[in-house]
Every structure is written in C-alpha cells, then in structure tokens.
Amino acid sequence: KAGVTQTPRYLIKTRGQQVTLSCSPISGHRSVSWYQQTPGQGLQFLFEYFSETQRNKGNFPGRFSGRQFSNSRSEMNVSTLELGDSALYLCASSIGTGGSGANVLTFGAGSRLTVL
Amino acid sequence: GENVEQHPSTLSVQEGDSAVIKCTYSDSASNYFPWYKQELGKGPQLIIDIRSNVGEKKDQRIAVTLNKTAKHFSLHITETQPEDSAVYFCAASFGNQFYFGTGTSLTVIP
C-alpha cells in the first residue's frame, strides 16, 4: 500500500515568487492536512481538506492557500514568497476528518522549500 | 486554542537506559494524544497513541501515560537503542485539529 506522496521533495525559490506543492494521500483516505515545520516551532497547522472542502484553517496569512481534488489529491500554494516561508511542508492524510483517535494522521516525507 | 508544551527539547541517554519525554496541554476537551517519531529526511511516523479514557498504553519498549487531571502525558522508552535516535513529537487533538509540541531530539549514545 503506497504511503503519502509529496512532490517536489526539494525546491528553491526567490522572494516574491509563488510555489505549488502537491500531495497524494493514501488510497481511500479522504482527508488531507498540511503543516509547516520549522526549527524550534514544531508543526504548525495550515489547513485541512475533506471531500474537496476546507474544513479548518490555521493562523497563516492569506498568501497560503490550498485545494483538494475529487480524487483526494491536494495542492497548497504560497504566493509572494518571503524568506520566513522557508520550511518543510508536510502533508498528512487520514481516512476521515476530525481529531478523534479514529482518524490517525499518516505523514508524507515533506517538501523542503528554501526561499532566497 | 489548544497549547501543547513539550520537554525537554534535547535528550541524550546511554544505550540501554530509559528516556522520558513529557508534554502538557491546556484544553481539557482534548481527547486523543498521539506520539510521532521523525527520522532525518522523513516525515513524522506514528509510534503510539492514547485516548482520554485510558491512563496508560504499552507497545513493547514504548509506553505512554496520560494524566487528565493534570493535563499532561508522557512517552517512556525503555532499553533504548541507537535506532531510537530521532525527533519525537507529542500532539493533542481537539475538534478537527491536531496541536503539536515543539519536539524532542533524542540521541542514544552507543
């Protein structure tokens, strides 16, 4: 059974550019969540999608956006990149939505974004 | 919202010793507490979890305890091995969102 696949794994952008990251969840998983990981900050929640609808959003500026397709694949976009956006962006999928023990998160390996 | 604090941020132990990582949370409504292990270059992987109706759970060398009254939970690793070296994250789940601690970098010295 394939795990959560994130592409690209590494990318370098310059300030002001935009970037799109992709996440393919585990087959049968309908929920996809995105997290930003930076040293010392741990994992910060960006947003969650379930059945193509954004169910929850973290405390990030509007430059961060996402979407989910009918096959549950998800993309996130960051516009007008800033130096502080350099981070590892993690995608996690789960069978359903919600934070109960029935919805275990399975993470991908992440996309490491460097903004110069 | 929920706030999860994790200590220590770094931990070094001799191989064979035990390691303990502690987390506290703020919202008494949180009812699910997973622990993740992240190895270099990989995403976090679930290693054990506990629900609010359970006080302790064990899986071989790993155990998690939960004190709902004090709002803290801990990860215990016994007989540590070099392959246990990684960053460990605790999390508390409330509603439809997971809140993560800032991580503990565990080093097991052979």
Side-chain angles (χ1 to χ4, degrees), chain B residues 61-109:
Chain B
R61 297 186 296 108
I62 295 174
V64 57
T65 59
L66 171 65
N67 184 325
K68 286 185 62 180
T69 302
K71 295 193 197 133
H72 68 70
F73 55 114
S74 300
L75 177 70
H76 304 254
I77 306 174
T78 59
E79 301 174 14
T80 54
Q81 302 169 4
E83 52 265 37
D84 293 330
S85 295
V87 178
Y88 292 81
F89 291 96
C90 64
S93 175
F94 169 67
N96 61 346
Q97 191 167 328
F98 286 77
Y99 297 84
F100 286 83
T102 51
T104 295
S105 178
L106 173 65
T107 301
V108 179
I109 304 167

Side-chain angles (χ1 to χ4, degrees), chain A residues 9 35 37 40-43 45 48 55-56 88 90 98-101 103-105 107-109, chain B residues 31-32 36 38 41-46 49 51 89 93-98 100-103:
Chain A
R9 289 292 312 278
Y35 291 83
Q37 184 178 15
Q41 293 295 315
L43 282 72
F45 174 73
E48 179 202 7
R55 291 301 182 100
N56 200 14
L88 179 68
L90 292 162
S100 72
N103 295 312
V104 173
L105 295 181
F107 284 89
Chain B
N31 57 10
Y32 174 59
Y36 287 84
Q38 186 175 27
K42 298 182 179 180
Q45 180 181 12
L46 178 71
D49 55 11
R51 302 178 189 183
F89 291 96
S93 175
F94 169 67
N96 61 346
Q97 191 167 328
F98 286 77
F100 286 83
T102 51

